[in-house]
Amino acid sequence: MSSRRSRQSSGSSRISDDQIIELVSKLRQLLPEIRDRRPGKVSASKVLQETCNYIRSLYKEVDDLSERLSQLLSTIDEDSAEAAIIRSLIM
């Protein structure tokens, strides 16, 4: 399939090349690894690869923070003021 052809996502809606370029540009702005580099051309495949890596790192960070929170909660009294504050922050 030619990269110039319109892409189909659900059979009826098409994404134009210009829309893809715009979406990749928006992703580029969200990615610290690319955003903080010197200005220049970064390929769409590199942006998508970095997006996947960034999402993986965010998942890992969430898992790590969840584990730390679980450990913290297990060391304090459930009825304490500290526990109430933590519960209010995560809910």
Side-chain angles (χ1 to χ4, degrees), residues 57-68:
S57 74
L58 291 174
Y59 272 117
K60 184 180 179 333
E61 188 173 347
V62 167
D63 286 343
D64 292 345
L65 290 171
S66 295
E67 178 63 29
R68 288 176 55 196

Side-chain angles (χ1 to χ4, degrees), residues 11 15 18 21 25 35 39-40 43 46 49-50 56 80 91:
I15 300 175
D18 288 340
I21 291 167
S25 177
R35 183 187 62 224
S43 69
K46 181 67 174 174
Q49 188 176 41
E50 289 296 329
R56 280 188 206 102
S80 69
M91 295 188 181

Side-chain angles (χ1 to χ4, degrees), residues 40-51:
K41 199 106 168 137
V42 178
S43 69
S45 63
K46 181 67 174 174
V47 171
L48 294 174
Q49 188 176 41
E50 289 296 329
T51 300

Side-chain angles (χ1 to χ4, degrees), residues 7-91:
R7 280 104 175 144
Q8 293 183 349
S9 60
S10 63
S12 62
S13 63
R14 295 177 186 243
I15 300 175
S16 70
D17 287 346
D18 288 340
Q19 288 171 313
I20 291 172
I21 291 167
E22 182 182 340
L23 292 169
V24 168
S25 177
K26 287 179 181 179
L27 279 175
R28 183 180 292 125
Q29 294 170 16
L30 294 172
L31 298 170
E33 283 293 318
I34 293 176
R35 183 187 62 224
D36 297 340
R37 288 186 191 162
R38 60 177 165 68
K41 199 106 168 137
V42 178
S43 69
S45 63
K46 181 67 174 174
V47 171
L48 294 174
Q49 188 176 41
E50 289 296 329
T51 300
C52 291
N53 291 340
Y54 187 57
I55 290 170
R56 280 188 206 102
S57 74
L58 291 174
Y59 272 117
K60 184 180 179 333
E61 188 173 347
V62 167
D63 286 343
D64 292 345
L65 290 171
S66 295
E67 178 63 29
R68 288 176 55 196
L69 181 59
S70 293
Q71 290 172 355
L72 177 63
L73 288 173
S74 70
T75 63
I76 60 175
D77 179 21
E78 283 184 35
D79 298 324
S80 69
E82 293 88 357
I85 292 170
I86 292 171
R87 279 194 299 275
S88 71
L89 291 173
I90 60 175
M91 295 188 181

